[in-house]
Amino acid sequence: MKPAIAKLREHPPVKKAGSFVRRWDGKLTQELVLQPGDFGLGQVPARLEPDGTTDMVCGFCATGCSLAIHLKEGQAINLSPANNYPVNLGMACPKGWEALTPLRSLDRAMSPYLRNADGNLEPVDWDTALRTFTLRLKAIQDKFGRDAIAWLGTGQICTEELAFLGALAKFGMGILHGDGNTRQCMATAATAYKQAFGFDAPPYAYKDFEESDVLVFVGSNLCIAHPILWQRVLRNKNLPEIIVVDPRKTETAMAATQHYAIKPKSDLILLYGLANRLIADGWIDRDYIDRHTSGFEAFADFVAQFSADVVTEATGLNAEQFGKFAETIHRGRRVSFWWTMGVNQGHEATRTAQAIINLALMTGNIGRLGTGANSITGQCNAMGSRLFSNTTNLLGGHDFLSVEDRAKIARILRIDVNRIPNQNSLAYDQIVEGIANDKIKGLWVVGTNSSHSWINRAKFNEVVKKLDFLVVQDMYFTTETAQRAHLILPAAGWGEKVGTFINSERRIGLIKRVSRAPGQALSDFNIFKLIARYWGCGKMFEKWSSPESVFQILKELSRDQPCDITGIRDYQMIEDAGGIQWPLADTSDDASASKEYPAYPSMSCVEPERRLFEDGLFYHSDQKARFLFETPRDAPELTDNEYPFVLLTGRGTVSQWHTQTRTGKSAVLKKLYPDHIYVEMNSLDAKRLDIEANQKVLIASRRGQVTATACITNTVQAGQVFIPMHYSVANDLTFPAFDPYSRQPAYKACAVSVTPL
């Protein structure tokens, strides 16, 4: 052995311990160095040190959280929850934390695309795209009539853009039929409120989550669907009873004090039975009923047939559970009733929602802190769509069938009243049926992914092949719907444009342009502006020069309506106040209308929340709420020997959203849910069918079949299976039934079989 080697073995060089753990210089090391972020942000990595911040509401769900956007040279580089906004109180869910990520996706539509003679989509310039749009759609109208083209909109663009689309399409382009994807989530709530209250008016404020002593959730998995609202529940210091009515033992049901795992679609019978029990035991507020409602005596006679025996037979609950439910409502001093898609997406959904409203009315649990019959909205701007999209109602909650309303809108917009249709549009499902029947030949799809989300999607995707011209306006050219289009118009997304959203509690909040849209993508607002010019009706929209100018027009359209917002001065007032709930009318005796609102360092600058009907006055001509009811009907598709399981669908995880068009772009969010579709099934069923955990199974309905990974769990009852709605193939199975009043699809229950593979 050489002396030098022997010496090294005897006395090896000593390295500093730190050199094994960390290098003290270099690119990766510098990224770990923190320094003051200013603006109340604490310490941040140097590369993410902002030179300014601005707050705006999130673009995912209708909770309407505010996010502090970190800016560098005018561009968003990071975000954090806004500390003092009265909605989220410094909190954000995983989707909110990742809200900027989808903007940077590589599959953004950066130019218009037109399908060429070979059937391929190829980039074109805006002039070519808009000339093609105009010539093709006008040719369809000339050949087949004005009713031969339709549009499908969204609840995920700004209120000002929704109004521009609806006004452009109906008043400028002469299109009669237009609807939106709000039909899939909130049509039932809107219809139920209109019929019961006289206007689509969710009465509550989020503070009610914190002040109830009994909270009843029907068909709502709040923990997953609206996690920040669940955090508001957890702030409740009244040790409330939390009741969940849901066939599944959802995350919310696990956290509840009472869970009633009823048979699927037996909720209407349960609610009528509860009403009967409350009436029979005298557990109602007779004074409130007499002064503020109509139709109660007929309702009481009707529900008398729903005895405890009838309810227990239909729902699967026992008499003790049923009795405890009714007694808990009776004992509550502030009882709030909440529902979401488990109610809205049903074959008798409107009457089910109204059965919830009936319980609130008959017990006097409305118009007071911690009470209400409260529908929680889905999409970020579904409420804006419900009021201002010009689809199911004339702008501002007016009525297309009313001569007075049409005259008012024509006067404000300074247009010929004959341009305003005097009939209602077809609903979403009827538009699809119109395509199938060759009555609708052109379709304009804005900001929605129907080829994924529409019920019985295989049939939908066959039907759209019949269209002469399909236009898709979206952020991405890769959505299932965009890939079927003849023309794609590239749109800017949330954070790349300006406007307002309206959240579940009627709060109007701002979004801002904090990032540049890629390539040639334009805001939906500017796309509509260009289309108006190319179509030849640009003069009609001269005053629609900017989103804020349109907001001023919407104020006038809302005047004297239940949703009156004439007291909101401008966008700055909305920002200073931390969002403003409608209504806020411009009246001399309304102190809040003339109040000066400082920038909100705290929530004391304006009433942080307001609820409706505190005076007991509703929006019908007699100012009374109505009890509405109807005989329950069987589910439209029942199980049998061939298809013995009931398929339930709904939210999968808090990190998934709708068709995953945006959440699917985030590597962080994708780590929080299984990449491939799975089906939850009960351990008893799995044992009987010899199915093991993580085994592949075939789920089949009368419309299609899906291969999924089996997840064995007792969160679903025997005879039922559950698939998250976010996986596109889930809608290969669903049954196309619709509520007769809201026309909302019944996604939640159909018959399937399960076969091990």
Side-chain angles (χ1 to χ4, degrees):
M1 180 180 296
K2 294 183 178 180
I5 297 176
K7 186 177 181 180
L8 282 172
R9 288 188 174 180
E10 184 179 353
H11 302 288
V14 177
K15 291 188 177 181
K16 293 181 180 180
S19 65
F20 292 106
V21 178
R22 174 177 178 179
R23 288 193 57 182
W24 294 94
D25 54 17
K27 179 180 179 181
L28 295 178
T29 301
Q30 289 302 315
E31 289 188 358
L32 300 176
V33 176
L34 299 178
Q35 56 191 61
D38 297 328
F39 312 103
L41 300 178
Q43 293 190 318
V44 298
R47 64 185 175 83
L48 294 177
E49 181 185 3
D51 55 29
T53 63
T54 190
D55 293 354
M56 67 178 188
V57 294
C58 180
F60 277 107
C61 80
T63 300
C65 299
S66 184
L67 303 173
I69 308 298
H70 309 178
L71 302 170
K72 197 166 192 174
E73 297 179 357
Q75 291 293 295
I77 58 171
N78 205 355
L79 61 78
S80 55
N83 288 330
N84 296 319
Y85 199 68
V87 169
N88 52 312
L89 309 176
M91 300 177 284
C93 77
K95 295 187 295 293
W97 280 105
E98 281 292 288
L100 292 171
T101 302
L103 301 180
R104 304 162 183 151
S105 177
L106 297 178
D107 63 343
R108 289 292 303 273
M110 298 177 67
S111 72
Y113 291 85
L114 182 64
R115 199 169 295 279
N116 60 26
D118 296 327
N120 299 316
L121 289 167
E122 62 180 8
V124 295
D125 57 43
W126 271 106
D127 181 65
T128 301
L130 293 173
R131 287 181 184 277
T132 303
F133 177 96
T134 303
L135 292 172
R136 294 285 297 273
L137 290 180
K138 281 192 171 185
I140 290 172
Q141 284 185 327
D142 290 343
K143 184 175 181 180
F144 299 103
R146 288 188 174 272
D147 294 354
I149 59 176
W151 89 90
L152 295 174
T154 180
Q156 298 183 91
I157 61 176
C158 302
T159 306
E160 296 81 356
E161 293 174 329
L162 286 164
F164 203 160
L165 170 60
L168 168 63
K170 289 203 170 186
F171 310 154
M173 299 169 66
I175 302 175
L176 174 60
H177 301 304
D179 202 0
N181 58 21
T182 310
R183 180 73 63 179
Q184 296 166 271
C185 64
M186 299 314 303
T188 288
T191 304
Y193 281 140
K194 284 180 184 178
Q195 292 181 357
F197 296 162
F199 196 79
D200 177 12
Y204 64 95
Y206 291 156
K207 184 71 172 177
D208 295 323
F209 283 116
E210 302 176 19
E211 297 296 336
S212 302
D213 57 4
V214 176
L215 299 102
V216 180
F217 295 98
V218 184
S220 170
N221 189 7
L222 198 71
C223 289
I224 292 300
H226 300 88
I228 301 305
L229 298 186
W230 179 249
Q231 295 301 313
R232 299 295 297 264
V233 174
L234 297 182
R235 290 166 56 94
N236 191 313
K237 298 179 180 179
N238 299 317
L239 299 177
E241 286 288 338
I242 301 175
I243 299 174
V244 171
V245 179
D246 199 302
R248 294 175 60 223
K249 193 170 186 177
T250 63
E251 292 82 353
T252 312
M254 293 177 193
T257 59
Q258 300 176 40
H259 173 215
Y260 299 111
I262 62 172
K263 295 177 183 177
K265 296 296 112 189
S266 64
D267 40 5
L268 186 54
I269 293 175
L270 170 63
L271 296 166
Y272 285 158
L274 287 169
N276 181 40
R277 175 66 182 272
L278 293 169
I279 294 169
D281 289 348
W283 295 342
I284 59 176
D285 188 335
R286 190 75 219 198
D287 181 61
Y288 189 92
I289 292 169
D290 291 342
R291 289 192 296 120
H292 301 301
T293 72
S294 64
F296 176 73
E297 300 306 329
F299 174 68
D301 290 343
F302 169 77
V303 296
Q305 64 187 292
F306 296 95
S307 64
D309 290 342
V310 170
V311 172
T312 55
E313 173 66 24
T315 64
L317 303 182
N318 59 45
E320 181 181 355
Q321 290 174 307
F322 175 62
K324 183 178 180 180
F325 196 164
E327 290 170 10
T328 304
I329 294 173
H330 165 59
R331 288 197 306 269
R333 291 176 295 112
R334 295 175 176 175
V335 184
S336 57
F337 300 87
W338 309 86
W339 80 89
T340 51
M341 297 311 119
V343 169
N344 287 346
Q345 294 176 337
H347 69 288
E348 51 190 5
T350 299
R351 292 294 181 250
T352 304
Q354 288 163 346
I356 298 172
I357 294 171
N358 293 342
L359 291 177
L361 293 172
M362 65 194 292
T363 57
N365 279 296
I366 197 162
R368 295 186 290 114
L369 184 68
T371 67
N374 306 326
S375 168
I376 306 171
T377 310
Q379 300 176 85
C380 57
N381 201 26
M383 175 60 70
S385 175
R386 286 152 68 175
L387 293 177
F388 290 107
S389 68
N390 217 31
T391 52
T392 56
N393 49 249
L394 186 56
L395 293 165
H398 291 90
D399 187 350
F400 282 106
L401 306 184
S402 166
V403 173
E404 294 80 8
D405 284 0
R406 295 198 303 274
K408 173 185 175 181
I409 300 304
R411 174 179 54 79
I412 293 171
L413 297 183
R414 299 182 181 181
I415 61 174
D416 183 347
V417 70
N418 293 316
R419 283 189 170 271
I420 301 177
N422 60 2
Q423 59 182 298
N424 289 321
S425 166
L426 295 176
Y428 199 134
D429 68 295
Q430 296 165 329
I431 289 173
V432 175
E433 193 63 28
I435 300 170
N437 295 335
D438 294 321
K439 294 181 179 179
I440 293 176
K441 310 296 287 185
L443 184 65
W444 181 14
V445 177
V446 180
T448 189
N449 189 12
S450 310
S451 290
H452 175 133
S453 63
W454 191 242
I455 199 162
N456 189 16
R457 72 170 192 136
K459 181 179 179 181
F460 174 87
N461 289 331
E462 282 300 312
V463 165
V464 295
K465 292 179 181 178
K466 302 183 71 173
L467 289 166
D468 287 357
F469 195 53
L470 172 61
V471 181
V472 172
Q473 185 169 316
D474 206 301
M475 292 172 63
Y476 307 99
F477 65 86
T478 53
T479 70
E480 292 95 331
T481 315
Q483 285 299 299
R484 291 173 166 80
H486 298 98
L487 175 66
I488 299 174
L489 303 179
W494 168 91
E496 297 171 343
K497 55 187 178 179
V498 176
T500 60
F501 290 160
I502 308 177
N503 78 350
S504 287
E505 61 168 359
R506 313 181 316 281
R507 186 178 300 274
I508 301 170
L510 288 179
I511 69 165
K512 304 172 184 177
R513 185 174 182 269
V514 296
S515 183
R516 298 184 187 91
Q520 300 176 45
L522 299 174
S523 69
D524 294 284
F525 187 92
N526 281 316
I527 294 174
F528 301 145
K529 188 91 175 160
L530 284 170
I531 288 173
R533 193 177 78 187
Y534 274 75
W535 196 272
C537 58
K539 189 172 180 58
M540 183 184 296
F541 299 99
E542 278 182 334
K543 292 185 178 297
W544 300 54
S545 57
S546 68
E548 189 159 12
S549 69
V550 172
F551 182 80
Q552 297 299 327
I553 294 171
L554 300 186
K555 285 169 53 179
E556 284 306 306
L557 294 172
S558 77
R559 187 178 293 277
D560 299 324
Q561 286 288 94
C563 61
D564 192 324
I565 55 172
T566 53
I568 301 177
R569 186 178 59 247
D570 51 22
Y571 280 0
Q572 188 63 50
M573 181 175 174
I574 296 172
E575 175 150 29
D576 290 348
I580 299 174
Q581 288 178 286
W582 66 259
L584 188 66
D586 183 11
T587 56
S588 57
D589 60 348
D590 186 348
S592 61
S594 58
K595 186 175 181 180
E596 289 298 322
Y597 297 99
Y600 61 96
S602 70
M603 290 181 293
S604 62
C605 56
V606 63
E607 312 93 322
E609 74 279 330
R610 289 178 289 126
R611 55 198 50 78
L612 303 179
F613 312 127
E614 291 179 329
D615 56 3
L617 302 179
F618 294 86
Y619 300 121
H620 289 297
S621 58
D622 62 0
Q623 297 188 317
K624 293 185 175 183
R626 296 175 179 173
F627 282 90
L628 297 164
F629 51 90
E630 191 171 309
T631 301
R633 297 178 286 115
D634 288 337
E637 185 175 58
L638 301 175
T639 57
D640 56 21
N641 290 334
E642 186 176 1
Y643 299 98
F645 290 91
V646 176
L647 170 65
L648 310 174
T649 65
R651 301 281 184 204
T653 71
V654 71
S655 60
Q656 292 172 298
W657 183 248
H658 293 180
T659 67
Q660 300 186 115
T661 300
R662 286 181 291 161
T663 52
K665 314 302 183 190
S666 166
V668 172
L669 295 179
K670 290 179 72 173
K671 290 181 184 295
L672 301 180
Y673 61 84
D675 189 35
H676 301 291
I677 187 169
Y678 62 94
V679 58
E680 295 180 2
M681 63 185 308
N682 187 274
S683 58
L684 295 176
D685 292 324
K687 184 176 181 180
R688 178 172 53 83
L689 296 175
D690 197 25
I691 294 173
E692 297 180 354
N694 298 320
Q695 183 176 348
K696 297 294 184 183
V697 295
L698 186 71
I699 314 296
S701 74
R702 293 177 176 87
R703 292 153 297 283
Q705 57 187 33
V706 171
T707 300
T709 301
C711 174
I712 313 303
T713 174
N714 289 329
T715 59
V716 292
Q717 300 180 62
Q720 302 170 19
V721 293
F722 170 80
I723 291 178
M725 67 178 190
H726 315 287
Y727 302 99
S728 60
V729 291
N731 279 322
D732 288 344
L733 305 171
T734 48
F735 181 78
F738 303 90
D739 175 83
Y741 303 102
S742 68
R743 304 305 305 172
Q744 185 157 351
Y747 285 98
K748 295 301 182 185
C750 66
V752 298
S753 63
V754 181
T755 306
L757 296 177

